[in-house]
Amino acid sequence: MARVLILCSSTDGQTRKICERLRGALQQSGHDVSLAMIDDAQAFAPDDFALVVIGARIRYGKTDRRVIDYANRPGDALNAMPSAYFSVNIVARKPGKDSPATNPYVRKFLRSVIWRPRLVDVFAGKLDYPRYGVCDRLIIRFIMLLTGGPTAPDTVVEFTDWQRVDGFGAALNRDIEPAL
């Protein structure tokens, strides 16, 4: 059994849902998993864990600044251990933008931090217009109009590929095995 830390940056809950799914996969393998929001990240030292996973949402084209700060602050510690990063964004719904090598937000994040996670992935998020406030709904609809996505104000679409998330969970379990 290993201690695992999953840090989550989520605005509308989809990244949190993915983090919870990954926590379940790791717990099923017998690992002790702490799931915390990025706001509480400073309470956790990477050295106290055998694996650190960070899941980050994208909002209006930007990774949460707190994720970037965390990845740069203990970056050397993170680089010296098994670690993983995933991004959740609506752009990943599109073929050609759905891999770490082709997703602009993953590429930009990795250029902005010293951390080099061993595992990296990207998952499409969820579009839920009825849940958004008026301002967010207008901005996101405009972005969807520009990118060829759904714009009807009653649209709710979960783009997340849960089989892919499960595959990432399996990869996390495999990555932690040598550390035990």
Side-chain angles (χ1 to χ4, degrees):
M1 174 182 76
R3 291 190 69 217
V4 177
L5 174 62
I6 300 176
L7 291 174
C8 177
S9 165
S10 188
T11 300
D12 298 314
Q14 193 68 5
T15 305
R16 171 96 189 198
K17 191 173 170 183
I18 292 168
C19 287
E20 289 169 352
R21 179 89 161 231
L22 294 172
R23 175 178 60 185
L26 290 161
Q27 286 175 330
Q28 280 186 330
S29 294
H31 301 299
D32 176 20
V33 184
S34 297
L35 172 58
M37 298 307 290
I38 194 67
D39 314 32
D40 303 319
Q42 298 313 315
F44 300 94
D47 296 342
D48 293 340
F49 298 89
L51 171 68
V52 174
V53 180
I54 301 177
R57 59 83 172 137
I58 300 297
R59 190 65 162 194
Y60 303 133
K62 297 191 184 300
T63 300
D64 188 331
R65 184 76 221 169
R66 297 167 297 183
V67 171
I68 294 168
D69 291 345
Y70 187 85
N72 279 322
R73 202 165 298 129
D76 292 333
L78 291 173
N79 284 332
M81 63 187 302
S83 62
Y85 169 78
F86 67 90
S87 175
V88 178
N89 58 77
I90 295 292
V91 170
R93 78 189 189 284
K94 300 178 93 174
K97 306 281 184 185
D98 57 349
S99 77
T102 61
N103 187 273
Y105 302 119
V106 171
R107 292 172 56 208
K108 183 178 178 182
F109 173 78
L110 292 174
R111 284 192 308 268
S112 70
V113 297
I114 61 172
W115 176 39
R116 292 296 167 251
R118 292 201 324 206
L119 296 174
V120 179
D121 213 334
V122 60
F123 307 113
K126 180 178 181 180
L127 186 63
D128 190 352
Y129 288 126
R131 186 165 184 224
Y132 306 145
V134 174
C135 186
D136 283 340
R137 189 177 314 122
L138 287 173
I139 292 169
I140 294 170
R141 285 181 69 203
F142 180 68
I143 293 168
M144 288 293 108
L145 179 67
L146 293 176
T147 63
T151 58
D154 59 343
T155 299
V156 177
V157 180
E158 187 167 328
F159 293 105
T160 306
D161 178 343
W162 291 104
Q163 288 183 329
R164 184 170 175 162
V165 172
D166 292 341
F168 189 67
L172 293 173
N173 273 309
R174 284 191 303 275
D175 196 48
I176 201 169
E177 289 303 319
L180 297 178

